Amino acid sequence: MKKRTLLIFTGPPGSGKGSLSQLCVSKLGFKQVSTGNLCRQEIAKGTQTGEKIDFLIKSGKLVPDGLITQMVYDWFLEQLDDGALVILDGYPRTVRQAELFHKMILDGTFPFRVVVVQLALDDEAIVKRLSSRFVCQNKQCQAIYSANPDANMMPEKEGICDTCGGEVRRRKDDVPEVIRERLRIYHQHAHPLLDFYNRVGYRVFKLDADQPIKNMLHQFEQETDGLAL
Ligand SMILES: [Zn+2]
C-alpha cells in the first residue's frame, strides 16, 4: 500500500502557518484536519464526548491528550480511502500528544509518512511583524494588514478592509510585551517537540518565513517536490 504523506506545520505565532496551510488546501488540494474544528463538530453533534469537551472548554480546562488523539484517529478512519495529502493543524501541541500520535501511526492502521515543515522566523522579526499587524474585525473575513511600509500591506482606505469593508484594527494582545510572552511559551513546547520528531525519524525541513506568502508556497513546493507528495 502506498504511503500517504502527512504534514505537521510548526512555527511561532505570526510565522504564517495558517495562511500557508490555507493556500495548500485551496491551490494544491490538500486536506486539513484541525483539532479545534473537530472539537466544535463533536459539541455540535451533542454526543457524550461532545458534552464532556464543551464542559472542559467552558471551564477553561484543556481537552485531554488521549481524547484529542482519539478524535484525530476517528477522522482518519473516515478518510481511509481518500488519497489526499493531510495537514495537521494545531496538533500535536505537546510531546505527550506527539507520542500518542506516533503510537497510533506505528500500530499500522494508517501507512503514513510524516513530514515536519518548520517555519523559521526569528523572534525580533515576529515582534515587529505582529506589533504592526492590523486585522479585519469581520469574523468571516479576518484579512490581515500591516502598518509596516516594507510589507506593502496597508488597506487602500485607512481603517477599512479592502475585501469586505469591515473595520480594520490592531489586536489588543499584539503588543511587544504580550508577543514576547507568547513566544516564550511557544519555545517551551517547540524545542522538546522538535527533539521528539528528530528522535523518531520524521523528516524535518525548514522554510524561510521571512518572505511573502506566495514565495513561501513556491519554496514549499520546490522543497517537497522530491518527496513525491
Ligand atoms: Zn474584511
Side-chain angles (χ1 to χ4, degrees):
M1 193 173 178
K2 194 173 172 283
K3 279 197 176 180
R4 281 172 69 178
T5 301
L6 203 130
L7 291 162
I8 298 174
F9 283 5
T10 75
S15 59
K17 285 189 302 276
S19 316
L20 184 65
S21 27
Q22 267 173 21
L23 279 181
C24 287
V25 171
S26 65
K27 297 222 187 281
L28 308 177
F30 294 6
K31 281 208 168 170
Q32 185 175 14
V33 56
S34 142
T35 47
N37 284 346
L38 288 179
C39 285
R40 281 186 285 276
Q41 279 163 18
E42 200 64 41
I43 294 170
K45 276 192 255 169
T47 58
Q48 229 176 355
T49 309
E51 279 173 25
K52 190 176 164 189
I53 294 170
D54 193 35
F55 174 77
L56 287 168
I57 292 175
K58 280 191 179 138
S59 38
K61 295 203 177 82
L62 289 174
V63 181
D65 293 335
L67 189 54
I68 293 275
T69 306
Q70 186 62 47
M71 281 193 290
V72 175
Y73 184 90
D74 292 342
W75 185 86
F76 279 120
L77 270 186
E78 283 171 25
Q79 312 279 329
L80 260 189
D81 300 329
D82 188 324
L85 201 137
V86 176
I87 301 171
L88 285 178
D89 176 16
Y91 177 93
R93 212 176 275 282
T94 61
V95 172
R96 179 70 191 135
Q97 283 182 4
E99 284 168 352
L100 288 168
F101 179 70
H102 187 69
K103 228 170 102 187
M104 175 179 107
I105 299 172
L106 280 190
D107 90 353
T109 315
F110 308 109
F112 280 123
R113 176 212 294 128
V114 184
V115 175
V116 179
V117 182
Q118 193 191 355
L119 277 67
L121 187 62
D122 69 59
D123 283 8
E124 281 321 297
I126 289 165
V127 173
K128 197 173 161 198
R129 182 182 285 188
L130 289 185
S131 53
S132 58
R133 178 171 79 164
F134 287 79
V135 185
C136 173
Q137 299 299 301
N138 175 358
K139 282 232 156 48
Q140 263 81 52
C141 175
Q142 298 186 318
I144 290 172
Y145 297 92
S146 172
N148 176 3
D150 298 339
N152 197 17
M153 280 169 63
M154 274 306 278
E156 276 185 26
K157 273 189 218 155
E158 201 187 322
I160 310 266
C161 175
D162 291 345
T163 313
C164 76
E167 188 194 354
V168 172
R169 237 194 297 158
R170 200 187 292 261
R171 261 176 54 172
K172 275 199 201 77
D173 55 350
D174 279 346
V175 291
E177 312 84 81
V178 183
I179 298 165
R180 289 209 172 84
E181 176 60 13
R182 268 148 67 196
L183 284 170
R184 195 185 61 78
I185 295 168
Y186 164 76
H187 288 302
Q188 238 173 33
H189 288 284
H191 295 198
L193 269 173
L194 219 51
D195 285 346
F196 176 81
Y197 298 150
N198 282 315
R199 203 163 60 236
V200 294
Y202 295 166
R203 168 117 187 230
V204 178
F205 71 86
K206 267 195 188 181
L207 212 57
D208 176 15
D210 197 9
Q211 56 180 341
I213 186 72
K214 276 190 187 134
N215 301 6
M216 237 161 84
L217 180 70
H218 185 68
Q219 195 199 348
F220 171 81
E221 284 184 288
Q222 281 187 326
E223 300 246 12
T224 53
D225 196 35
L227 296 171
L229 293 177

